[in-house]
Amino acid sequence: TGETLFEQNADSRLPMASTTKIMTALVALGEGDLDRVYTVKPEYAAVEGSSMYLQAGERLSLRDTLYGLMLASGNDAAECIAAHCGGNGGSAQFVRWMNEKAKALGMKHTSFANPSGLDEAGHGSCALDMARLAVYAMQNPTFARIVSTRTASVGTRTMTNHNKLLNQIEGCIGLKTGYTMAAGRTLVSCVERNGQRLVAVTPQDGNDWADHAALYDYGFSTYPAKLGASLGQTIQRVQVENGMSATVPLVAADSFAWPLAEGESLELDVELAGSLRAPIRAGRRAGEAVFSVNGKEVGRVALLYGADVAPRMESALSILKQGLPG
């Protein structure tokens, strides 16, 4: 939902290490053809730091390289992706796209200087910005599938995801680890339980595995999600003017849930798009369900008519009669 459940120094700008690669993957997914095959250039086969061990002259797809980027945290994969997807502008153009994406997502304390996360002047972010990025990224099904993968084979290599939380925490579905001397241990993760997703971010945290487990125990127990609407659920029946049926059901076009603290409740108000007069066609937009907590709006779901309602017969005959000559 984008709601912050707990924060501490969330706006402090720090190095982000390989959690940078969340943005690298997102930009690549938007700019590149996943099945396009390219050849690894020698300069990208010997990049410092963590690696998927690309070989000069090796041919592989962007899809395979993304697995090396996110599971093995390959700096070589990051440089190859940036050069491949950046077109004539190469890595420099790709990094510009990363910064443009950050700005579009409201990441006010973030700037990227490279696609890998290696320490460099002007390269940094904060916990709140990285949380925003993670929430957005997990909405991309291809990205979510990659970061939840525990092992993957590319060519003759088998890579294991560096994110140990996939095996340690119930419901963990991602995201990305990071480490450099300047950044220390940096971790962005995502956990889903009972249909509710939470994201946790800890820059410069030497006890990150345990801290994330504690954060999720706190988040899920203190702010359980309350389901306000489920897809296809009848939210309300409303009166129909001039209809063969006196009422028509309004059904939710999507699901909606919101985390609630103890003592809070999810309030519902229905806003209709217009007067309800027959004839009515099922599936057409009727209005919106508006959800609030303590008087503050937190979300909306479109409402559709759940049934056809024909006009009353006498009205139909009257309309026909008015249309006859004489």
Side-chain angles (χ1 to χ4, degrees), residues 129-197:
D129 281 2
M130 294 306 290
R132 289 192 177 112
L133 175 61
V135 168
Y136 177 83
M138 291 303 290
Q139 297 174 37
N140 183 304
T142 302
F143 178 93
R145 183 167 57 252
I146 292 171
V147 297
S148 65
T149 300
R150 300 186 183 190
T151 61
S153 296
V154 175
T156 59
R157 62 180 69 82
T158 298
M159 300 173 294
T160 300
N161 200 318
H162 287 188
N163 182 10
K164 294 181 181 179
L165 295 184
L166 290 170
N167 298 315
Q168 294 179 357
I169 292 185
E170 175 196 352
C172 184
I173 54 174
L175 255 155
K176 189 71 190 74
T177 61
Y179 174 81
T180 65
M181 290 293 290
R185 291 180 62 87
T186 299
L187 180 61
V188 179
S189 66
C190 181
V191 169
E192 181 174 333
R193 296 176 189 167
N194 300 318
Q196 180 182 13
R197 281 188 182 182

Side-chain angles (χ1 to χ4, degrees), residues 9 44-45 53 68 77 85 89-90 99-100 113 146 163-164 193 200 227 238 240 246 252 266 276 281 285 315 324:
N9 302 324
Y44 300 127
Y53 301 104
C85 295
N99 285 305
E100 289 171 5
I146 292 171
N163 182 10
K164 294 181 181 179
R193 296 176 189 167
L227 186 64
V238 292
V240 178
L266 196 59
L276 294 179
R281 292 285 186 86
R285 189 181 179 91
S315 298
L324 293 174

Side-chain angles (χ1 to χ4, degrees), residues 3-6 196 198 217-226 258-262 264:
E3 184 83 356
T4 299
L5 304 184
F6 174 83
Q196 180 182 13
L198 298 182
D217 286 344
Y218 165 79
F220 285 111
S221 63
T222 309
Y223 296 92
K226 169 68 175 178
W258 190 263
L260 297 176
E262 186 176 355
E264 291 183 334

Side-chain angles (χ1 to χ4, degrees), residues 283-298:
R284 289 189 176 177
R285 189 181 179 91
E288 291 182 315
V290 183
F291 297 95
S292 303
V293 176
N294 297 326
K296 177 185 176 183
E297 183 180 322
V298 295

Side-chain angles (χ1 to χ4, degrees), residues 97-108:
W97 288 336
M98 292 172 69
N99 285 305
E100 289 171 5
K101 189 71 170 179
K103 184 177 180 180
L105 293 176
M107 299 171 67
K108 298 179 181 179

